[in-house]
Amino acid sequence: MSDDFLLLNPGPVPITDAVREAMDAPMVSHRSAEFEAVYERAQDGLEYVFEHSTPQEEATSDGGTGLVLNGTATMGMEAAVANLTDTESEVVALVNGKFGRRFERIAERYARVTPVEVTWGEAFDLETVAEHVTDDTDLVTMVHNETSTGILNPVAEVGEIAGENDARFVVDGVTSIGGDVFRIDDWNVDIAITDSQKALAAPPGISALYVTDRAVEHLDGERAPFYADLEWHLRKAADHQTPFTSAVPLFRALAVAVEQIEAEGMDTRIGRHRRQAAAFRAGFAAMGLDGFPTLDDASERSNTVTAIALPESVRENPKEFFDAVAERNVSVSGGQAHLDGEIFRVSNMGQLADEQVLRGVETVGEALVDVGYDADPAAGRDAARTEL
């Protein structure tokens, strides 16, 4: 088995040699024709991903624009909220993890916020959501794939609720877009957000939005942060430019990454991510580990991030477990905020090979044995291999 470093964190994720090498080309001006060609490639690839993320690759949007931002997805979240609200607006923010909470915190700076909050890792009660989203609601924010807990939230159902009340709907698809199904129009999504270093498998530092044509009439760049004026970004994007200096090497890398996605095809890519996530779940279950999120009929386990509860005995000193994983040249993530020491998370985003999934399962099992937990790494690997 290879001893090469294996990055299984849910972002940044491993990148291909071609993506890495794209950053090594000679520098050009961000106002040059050469850069405009790069932006056009990145934009075309992003729009393919945003608009065709289904097993059949059919178009899921009647019209919209992909934008590349010189900042991570938090900038995209803020841009979406700030351009669609003012101090009199009501935002209903759905929170069942760290990034839903981040949406809420952003919205609190620009509007009146009504949170719908459940314990991190638990499913939303859709009747409760429907009670909070009313004709007075201007915007609903939601995370599709909650990276902090490994739960896939019911965007379709919440989008229907938002649509029935004529509210704009902004969705964080950071760890789903590029790796799982995402339907713009069917889910009434007005603005979708993703990040370069997640399922797109590009380096960190830039992000992307998809702004639907129907959302444009609701934008007001004058009230948004100067750097995040989406009307300005849309005008410049028509000429394959950004309003300000672009991170040229990162745009080049993103262009290659999205072209690789299109070459693979979303049908194949979604199937691969789902198969590998099932392998992680089966492998960990075979070693007696419990999945972390609590599901209901409307929610599912993530197909790009697997969150697992640490056994009670391991929680007494979780650092020993994570150190044992790291000693095998593998990197996994722990829980965030109050979940630190309670769970671990692994990712299968990007171009992960099946053998790397098996190595990840076996490494976790071996680390558990090292810290005194009765795990069978071989059984875990066999169960994962069966899924693959």
Side-chain angles (χ1 to χ4, degrees):
M1 182 178 293
S2 171
D3 290 327
D4 292 343
F5 177 65
L6 177 58
L7 180 65
L8 293 179
N9 299 73
V13 304
I15 60 176
T16 66
D17 289 344
V19 170
R20 177 177 51 78
E21 290 164 2
M23 293 186 286
D24 292 338
M27 185 56 62
V28 298
S29 167
H30 64 290
R31 298 299 182 215
S32 65
E34 290 87 352
F35 176 76
E36 289 174 2
V38 170
Y39 191 107
E40 185 173 13
R41 289 168 52 208
Q43 188 176 46
D44 287 349
L46 281 168
E47 290 179 354
Y48 163 78
V49 174
F50 277 117
E51 295 173 353
H52 296 85
S53 286
T54 71
Q56 298 78 32
E57 298 188 46
E58 76 272 19
T60 66
S61 172
D62 285 338
T65 303
L67 299 177
V68 187
L69 303 182
N70 284 290
T72 59
T74 300
M75 177 187 174
M77 297 165 77
E78 182 167 26
V81 171
N83 280 264
L84 289 172
T85 63
D86 58 30
T87 55
E88 298 303 313
S89 301
E90 182 191 60
V91 177
V92 174
L94 275 63
V95 181
N96 67 342
K98 177 178 180 178
F99 297 98
R101 171 63 178 140
R102 180 169 298 178
F103 246 147
E104 179 191 11
R105 293 176 64 193
I106 290 169
E108 287 172 343
R109 298 192 173 205
Y110 296 96
R112 296 180 295 110
V113 178
T114 300
V116 177
E117 188 163 6
V118 300
T119 300
W120 288 19
E122 292 189 0
F124 293 108
D125 177 69
L126 293 173
E127 290 185 3
T128 302
V129 175
E131 290 170 1
H132 285 80
V133 179
T134 70
D135 290 341
D136 294 326
T137 303
D138 298 285
L139 177 67
V140 179
T141 64
M142 187 178 196
V143 176
H144 183 208
N145 193 76
E146 180 53 75
T147 314
S148 64
T149 63
I151 192 170
L152 194 63
N153 286 316
V155 169
E157 290 82 354
V158 174
E160 183 177 357
I161 294 169
E164 289 171 350
N165 291 278
D166 195 29
R168 308 284 72 72
F169 190 32
V170 174
V171 178
D172 169 343
V174 166
T175 50
S176 59
I177 294 170
D180 206 351
V181 171
F182 199 91
R183 296 179 179 273
I184 300 288
D185 286 350
D186 289 349
W187 296 350
N188 291 318
V189 177
D190 290 287
I191 297 181
I193 304 153
T194 193
D195 223 338
S196 59
Q197 81 272 20
K198 305 290 187 174
L200 298 183
I206 57 177
S207 58
L209 295 183
Y210 185 84
V211 182
T212 62
D213 292 346
R214 63 180 173 275
V216 172
E217 63 183 280
H218 300 280
L219 301 178
D220 185 350
E222 289 297 319
R223 65 194 180 208
F226 186 79
Y227 198 65
D229 178 347
L230 291 184
E231 292 178 318
W232 197 356
H233 278 271
L234 287 165
R235 289 195 300 272
K236 295 299 289 185
D239 296 322
H240 308 303
Q241 289 280 350
T242 59
F244 313 104
T245 304
S246 304
V248 175
L250 298 180
F251 277 65
R252 285 171 166 161
L254 178 63
V256 173
V258 292
E259 286 170 347
Q260 290 180 336
I261 293 174
E262 189 163 6
E264 181 179 15
M266 282 308 305
D267 181 10
T268 302
R269 193 175 184 87
I270 289 169
R272 175 168 59 79
H273 279 80
R274 290 185 166 188
R275 186 180 70 251
Q276 290 180 340
F280 269 134
R281 292 193 295 266
F284 296 139
M287 294 187 292
L289 303 177
D290 295 324
F292 173 70
T294 303
L295 307 180
D296 64 6
D297 291 342
S299 302
E300 304 174 35
R301 299 198 188 282
S302 166
N303 292 305
T304 60
V305 179
T306 301
I308 299 293
L310 284 170
E312 202 166 315
S313 62
V314 179
R315 292 181 207 173
E316 295 173 6
N317 190 353
K319 185 177 183 299
E320 286 187 350
F321 164 73
F322 289 105
D323 286 348
V325 172
E327 286 170 4
R328 292 165 169 83
N329 216 16
V330 175
S331 178
V332 303
S333 290
Q336 295 175 299
H338 63 277
L339 295 179
D340 183 25
E342 300 290 317
I343 65 174
F344 73 89
R345 295 172 298 140
V346 295
S347 157
N348 55 291
M349 288 182 281
Q351 308 287 348
L352 206 65
D354 288 353
E355 186 60 31
Q356 291 172 309
V357 172
L358 297 177
R359 179 183 169 193
V361 170
E362 192 166 34
T363 294
V364 165
E366 291 170 349
L368 289 169
V369 171
D370 283 358
V371 299
Y373 180 75
D374 184 18
D376 185 344
R381 184 182 177 95
D382 290 344
R385 187 187 296 280
T386 298
E387 292 292 334
L388 294 170

